[in-house]
Amino acid sequence: MTESNETILSLQHLQKTFGQHQVLRDISLNIKKGEIATIIGPSGGGKSTTLRCINLLEEPTAGEIHFHGENVLEQNYNRNIYRAKVGMVFQQFDLFENKNVLANCMVGQELVLKRSKDEARKIALANLEKVGMEQYINARPSQLSGGQQQRVAIARAISMDPEILLFDEPTSALDPEMVGEVLSVMKNLATTGLTMIIVTHEMAFAKEISDKMFFISDGVIAEQGNPDQLFNHPQNEKTAKFLSNFQNN
Amino acid sequence: MKSRNKWITALITVMLSFIITSNFGITQVDAKKDDGELKVAMEANYQPYNWTQTTDKNGAVPIEGSRTYANGYDVKIAKIIGKQLHRKVVVVKTEWDGLLPALTSGKADLIIAGMSPTAERAKAINFTKPYRNSTFVVITKVNSKYANAKTLNDFKGAKLTAQQGTSHYALIKQLKGAKRQPAMRDFAAMRQSLISGTIDGYIAEDTESTSFKMVDPDIKAIPISKMAGFRISKEDSTTAIGIAKPNKDLLKQVNQVLATIPNSERTKLMTTAISQQPKTDETSKKGKQDPWLVSVWKQFGGMILSGIGMTLLLASVGTIAGFFIGLFVGIIRTIPTPTSRGKRWFSKFINWLLSVYIEVFRGTPMMVQAAVIYYGIAQFWHINIDRTLAALVIVSINTGAYLAEIIRGGIISTPEGQFEAASALGMTHNQRMWHIILPQAIKNCLPSITNEFIVNIKDTSVLSIISVSELFFVGTTIASQTFKFFPTYLTISAIYLILTFTITRIFNLIEKHLQGNKNYNLMANQVQVGTAQDMEAKK
Ligand SMILES: Nc1ncnc2c1ncn2[C@@H]1O[C@H](COP(=O)(O)OP(=O)(O)OP(=O)(O)O)[C@@H](O)[C@H]1O
Ligand SMILES: [Mg+2]
């Protein structure tokens, strides 16, 4: 959990509307290099939408996204390079079904980063080893358990050497006994200095790992602060009520 | 003489008459080929007027684009004309419904095909003076209870038929009380039905009865032309030669030649033709009595093999080319709409164009497409495409239209997460498509592509309209020559079944291969692929 003072990502008054439905009203947040940020909040509050806007899977309706001080929503900003630098791990893993484990971790490096096959392979193997999946390089995604798939998905994402890694409820789709293996991989990653933004319902995990937490409800950041502030001294009624559901954690 | 009142493919007629009546001035067809060939269109499947044989004996003339020959009364007449005009006769073998288009599009100079000069046809083409007059008979079995009919009323209760689309069929109405059965496609079918007893008789020309008697003495022909009350127009009872309207000189020349052939000579030619027509049955009775399949194989084996080859060529080239067309169209139709205005208009236009293509080719029968493209192009632009090439193009375009939608469906139904995961890695639209989405979409479409292949093997049979000699066309030729309707088509079916069965198996294997290994090997030790530093780190 190293921290510097350089703000690497900043959202400014982000809004997102689907048809008539305004899902994000006003989201502003800053992430510093090396920070571990978690986003929590009630279902439907707009957590996923926020992450998807950061990665440009959704086009924000209004507001700005600054990456190293540059607005990525500008017309001639190279979005593909940006996306390569902002990795994402999905709830449903979304490994490429037509490729085996190793190829999943290589294809992005070769196509987007233009790395040579050998280099891509070396990096992929090193990262698969980090997540404990180096034995499965020949397996197809459908032949793996959920926990294993998610670990491969993490290896795929970090093989791109991202500056920020986004996680959207990475353990929600997993059977309980597999949650631990994925969380421990993430904890290990957190120690490497990688900047991470994590949407999660695992409160104990969030409390342990976060430098900063955001509570998003009804499309606004209702409260933010370090884990101690949110868990022990919530200022907002909604935060308190939401977290009381997790007291026994 | 055959005089079909209405066309089987009404659409072709409509199109044709449209082309002809709307004086575009480009229907001028230069039928006078400089190479001195006289191209004569006929079915080569209508004994004794014309038929196909595998050798050039008895003065048969070559059939264009094949290694077979045509002979018969029409061919003999054609040769007399060719001789006097100093032009070499070449037969353009064409389905009945393709005869007029062949003439008006300039693919043939003359139609000599036992055709009657009906008023309707005379609107589209010119006819010479008749080259044969003929009488009508009801053909029945010797032991039939109608065998001794003397008047038109004696056929009360008889189940009668005639060839589909001919004026013969309308004549049944004049036989009071006869039960008119559905018309049949060709004489082979009618003979088979008569022998098997599903009909009591059929109306045909006297020549048909003569040739039928040669293979089956147990039939009887009852002349009806002279029975009291029988009415028939002159144009229905004569046969004439068709010539394209602009070709006035040729019309004059042919009429002059016909005038030099006296009636006695014509009768002699017909008698000779009847005696020369192929008779598989008789020869096999005289000889060692080969089993039917063996004798057919000896006579037509080469034709069957080349028919199978043609069918496979059409189906596989059509499916493969159609696959690439479909892939291309499917990809274009799934490109996300661009944000800039000009590009959006352009992409909308392209999408509209492609959906027109898909609708048109999925919404019309391939048979009609074939006729329109093959004859239409020749008619309007005077471009004479090779018929095999035309067939390949038609099957490909047609398959492309179907596969475009199938592949688009495959692309759309690939889970959204696959697109998103690829986008999140920073891949461009093209990279996502080629490396992630299409491999999955194609794999998922493979059963439909197999299906399309199978359909193509069967459906290319409709290309007989432009006389491509694929398997079914060959089958028709054999059936009408051996008069073994049932066994021939049974054999042809069996061949189709073997082809489709084999191809299904092959594709199943490919599918299985694409599924990949059921099992994977655990990599016991990856250290050897790690770097020295990795090893360091581990310690
Ligand atoms: N593509 C879309 N079209 C329309 N509405 C959408 C779309 N995506 C999300 N929404 C709506 O936006 C709202 C916020 O959704 P979002 O997925 O961001 O919630 P969330 O906070 O991640 O919830 P959860 O904890 O259940 O994952 C929801 O009401 C959802 O129905
Ligand atoms: Mg969510």
Side-chain angles (χ1 to χ4, degrees):
Chain A
M1 292 176 225
T2 47
E3 260 184 74
S4 75
N5 287 326
E6 189 202 339
T7 296
I8 168 169
L9 180 80
S10 126
L11 308 188
Q12 296 172 6
H13 306 293
L14 211 62
Q15 296 184 18
K16 176 66 188 174
T17 309
F18 289 112
Q20 303 282 31
H21 182 27
Q22 184 161 26
V23 174
L24 300 186
R25 294 170 203 272
D26 183 10
I27 301 281
S28 296
L29 56 80
N30 290 313
I31 306 290
K32 289 184 182 140
K33 193 168 183 344
E35 241 175 2
I36 310 294
T38 49
I39 299 176
I40 57 170
S43 183
K47 305 182 295 295
S48 296
T49 308
T50 305
L51 272 201
R52 292 167 59 82
C53 281
I54 294 176
N55 197 275
L56 300 179
L57 286 176
E58 303 290 357
E59 190 69 27
T61 318
E64 291 180 5
I65 300 174
H66 289 259
F67 183 64
H68 289 299
E70 282 183 86
N71 186 358
V72 306
L73 299 174
E74 290 281 323
Q75 271 281 307
N76 36 21
Y77 191 87
N78 189 331
R79 292 179 162 212
N80 287 328
I81 295 294
Y82 166 72
R83 281 169 152 166
K85 289 180 181 162
V86 180
M88 181 132 174
V89 174
F90 298 87
Q91 187 171 350
Q92 300 295 339
F93 336 125
D94 294 334
L95 292 179
F96 302 132
E97 296 291 335
N98 58 321
K99 295 189 180 295
N100 67 16
V101 165
L102 185 62
N104 259 280
C105 297
M106 288 171 63
V107 61
Q109 299 186 59
E110 288 178 66
L111 293 177
V112 181
L113 305 179
K114 310 289 177 209
R115 285 178 182 156
S116 73
K117 215 181 180 77
D118 285 343
E119 194 187 1
R121 186 181 154 85
K122 216 165 76 184
I123 293 172
L125 284 169
N127 286 316
L128 283 166
E129 203 172 322
K130 272 188 204 160
V131 301
M133 287 298 292
E134 75 278 10
Q135 288 189 308
Y136 296 88
I137 55 173
N138 290 323
R140 302 204 152 246
S142 55
Q143 296 168 319
L144 299 177
S145 76
Q148 291 174 325
Q149 289 190 53
Q150 194 60 298
R151 277 146 63 198
V152 174
I154 292 172
R156 174 175 71 179
I158 57 180
S159 292
M160 302 292 286
D161 290 328
E163 295 185 33
I164 305 178
L165 194 47
L166 313 173
F167 292 85
D168 190 1
E169 302 195 30
T171 58
S172 298
L174 297 178
D175 291 339
E177 70 269 20
M178 293 173 190
V179 171
E181 63 189 60
V182 172
L183 291 184
S184 84
V185 164
M186 290 170 68
K187 279 179 204 162
N188 281 339
L189 267 187
T191 62
T192 63
L194 178 63
T195 313
M196 291 161 57
I197 305 176
I198 306 164
V199 172
T200 186
H201 287 294
E202 298 287 339
M203 291 306 149
F205 169 75
K207 201 170 174 179
E208 183 189 337
I209 199 175
S210 307
D211 297 315
K212 207 185 241 174
M213 292 185 74
F214 299 90
F215 177 73
I216 294 186
S217 172
D218 289 333
V220 294
I221 297 183
E223 189 160 358
Q224 58 178 298
N226 62 35
D228 180 54
Q229 286 171 325
L230 260 77
F231 279 93
N232 301 328
H233 316 286
Q235 303 296 304
N236 190 312
E237 227 176 279
K238 283 186 195 161
T239 319
K241 191 157 177 261
F242 176 76
L243 286 173
S244 69
N245 297 331
F246 297 94
Q247 268 326 307
N248 46 352
N249 286 337
Chain B
M1 61 236 80
K2 267 200 282 195
S3 95
R4 300 202 181 181
N5 294 330
K6 63 175 183 227
W7 291 46
I8 291 170
T9 41
L11 240 167
I12 300 175
T13 328
V14 170
M15 205 202 63
L16 206 86
S17 55
F18 169 75
I19 290 166
I20 289 156
T21 49
S22 58
N23 275 322
F24 279 123
I26 44 174
T27 45
Q28 290 272 344
V29 174
D30 184 16
K32 266 182 240 145
K33 299 280 179 303
D34 298 328
D35 55 17
E37 278 185 351
L38 184 65
K39 296 196 174 188
V40 181
M42 61 181 70
E43 290 173 286
N45 242 348
Y46 179 50
Q47 298 181 16
Y49 284 95
N50 50 65
W51 66 78
T52 307
Q53 56 187 56
T54 45
T55 65
D56 63 354
K57 74 169 187 212
N58 298 330
V61 305
I63 293 177
E64 190 192 53
S66 81
R67 260 178 259 118
T68 53
Y69 300 84
N71 208 345
Y73 180 70
D74 289 337
V75 174
K76 294 182 194 303
I77 295 284
K79 281 171 72 180
I80 295 173
I81 296 169
K83 195 166 171 195
Q84 296 205 20
L85 301 185
H86 306 292
R87 289 167 74 176
K88 186 172 168 284
V89 174
V90 172
V91 165
V92 180
K93 183 170 174 166
T94 309
E95 288 256 302
W96 180 260
D97 294 318
L99 287 173
L100 258 64
L103 194 65
T104 52
S105 64
K107 288 182 190 291
D109 303 314
L110 301 175
I111 295 176
I112 312 183
M115 185 181 270
S116 297
T118 61
E120 197 181 332
R121 273 182 211 133
K123 282 183 203 152
I125 60 171
N126 282 334
F127 282 103
T128 60
K129 301 238 160 59
Y131 68 96
R132 192 180 146 74
N133 304 310
S134 166
T135 51
F136 291 97
V137 293
V138 169
I139 295 175
T140 183
K141 284 194 265 193
V142 173
N143 55 7
S144 162
K145 62 174 170 177
Y146 305 101
N148 299 315
K150 293 277 180 308
T151 73
L152 294 178
N153 295 327
D154 291 345
F155 292 97
K156 201 174 191 140
K159 285 186 273 182
L160 297 183
T161 187
Q163 192 175 14
Q164 194 176 43
T166 61
S167 62
H168 309 178
Y169 193 59
L171 296 178
I172 301 175
K173 281 194 194 136
Q174 298 192 32
L175 308 180
K176 302 264 156 40
K179 288 190 198 139
R180 194 155 79 147
Q181 304 297 302
M184 294 197 182
R185 192 185 151 90
D186 51 30
F187 284 97
M190 289 187 284
R191 290 180 180 193
Q192 188 75 26
S193 306
L194 181 65
I195 290 165
S196 66
T198 54
I199 55 171
D200 293 313
Y202 59 93
I203 293 189
E205 288 177 45
D206 50 356
T207 50
E208 158 66 7
S209 72
T210 320
S211 40
F212 194 3
K213 250 189 200 139
M214 294 174 67
V215 290
D216 188 348
D218 295 336
I219 61 123
K220 180 164 184 196
I222 307 151
I224 53 173
S225 291
K226 299 230 168 69
M227 286 182 181
F230 186 78
R231 278 166 289 113
I232 185 148
S233 68
K234 191 161 163 59
E235 67 191 22
D236 279 341
S237 60
T238 59
T239 302
I241 297 173
I243 299 177
K245 286 228 155 143
N247 247 338
K248 297 259 163 30
D249 288 347
L250 188 61
L251 179 68
K252 210 185 283 166
Q253 291 168 346
V254 173
N255 268 329
Q256 280 165 4
V257 176
L258 287 180
T260 66
I261 313 174
N263 262 336
S264 55
E265 169 85 5
R266 293 180 191 192
T267 315
K268 221 170 81 193
L269 286 176
M270 183 52 96
T271 320
T272 321
I274 290 173
S275 71
Q276 286 173 350
Q277 56 193 20
K279 21 191 185 260
T280 346
D281 273 9
E282 233 185 22
T283 38
S284 63
K285 262 175 211 157
K286 277 187 213 151
K288 272 174 280 165
Q289 188 90 26
D290 277 336
W292 181 77
L293 259 179
V294 175
S295 72
V296 164
W297 182 256
K298 275 186 188 156
Q299 199 176 346
F300 300 106
M303 246 164 105
I304 294 175
L305 283 182
S306 74
I308 293 175
M310 179 60 80
T311 291
L312 282 179
L313 178 78
L314 289 174
S316 47
V317 171
T319 311
I320 292 167
F323 169 72
F324 284 107
I325 295 173
L327 196 62
F328 179 73
V329 175
I331 289 172
I332 295 206
R333 285 185 23 115
T334 46
I335 290 178
T337 13
T339 36
S340 91
R341 236 163 149 237
K343 278 187 193 163
R344 196 155 58 217
W345 266 102
F346 182 69
S347 104
K348 262 199 182 144
F349 175 70
I350 296 288
N351 266 316
W352 175 81
L353 217 60
L354 292 179
S355 58
V356 167
Y357 155 65
I358 292 170
E359 293 302 331
V360 166
F361 280 87
R362 290 205 313 177
T364 55
M366 188 155 76
M367 191 188 234
V368 179
Q369 292 163 16
V372 169
I373 291 176
Y374 184 62
Y375 296 118
I377 285 180
Q379 187 132 15
F380 274 106
W381 291 289
H382 312 297
I383 302 167
N384 223 334
I385 335 167
D386 176 70
R387 58 166 63 88
T388 309
L389 184 68
L392 287 171
V393 170
I394 290 155
V395 185
S396 305
I397 295 179
N398 197 280
T399 310
Y402 281 92
L403 287 184
E405 279 304 272
I406 288 169
I407 289 171
R408 188 170 76 100
I411 292 173
I412 291 173
S413 63
T414 307
E416 188 67 23
Q418 300 286 310
F419 284 90
E420 293 191 341
S423 312
L425 290 178
M427 290 191 199
T428 62
H429 176 79
N430 284 341
Q431 291 171 337
R432 283 196 303 251
M433 259 349 228
W434 286 109
H435 295 272
I436 308 299
I437 307 303
L438 285 179
Q440 299 184 43
I442 290 169
K443 197 181 101 184
N444 292 338
C445 290
L446 209 60
S448 307
I449 295 169
T450 313
N451 193 41
E452 207 46 46
F453 199 156
I454 301 296
V455 167
N456 275 343
I457 286 190
K458 297 181 296 173
D459 282 8
T460 43
S461 58
V462 306
L463 294 172
S464 56
I465 183 80
I466 57 170
S467 307
V468 180
S469 33
E470 42 67 54
L471 187 53
F472 177 72
F473 193 74
V474 168
T476 319
T477 308
I478 297 175
S480 63
Q481 243 152 81
T482 59
F483 300 111
K484 294 284 190 184
F485 183 77
F486 180 67
T488 305
Y489 285 119
L490 195 67
T491 312
I492 295 293
S493 311
I495 296 176
Y496 273 116
L497 198 62
I498 291 168
L499 292 181
T500 53
F501 185 82
T502 317
I503 281 159
T504 314
R505 293 306 108 160
I506 291 173
F507 270 78
N508 284 353
L509 281 182
I510 295 177
E511 247 170 82
K512 223 180 202 162
H513 179 78
L514 284 185
Q515 296 298 346
N517 262 344
K518 266 237 162 69
N519 304 308
Y520 55 87
N521 294 321
L522 282 185
M523 291 290 133
N525 186 3
Q526 280 299 310
V527 182
Q528 67 271 26
V529 288
T531 60
Q533 280 158 339
D534 291 337
M535 309 250 288
E536 285 289 327
K538 258 196 203 146
K539 289 172 199 164

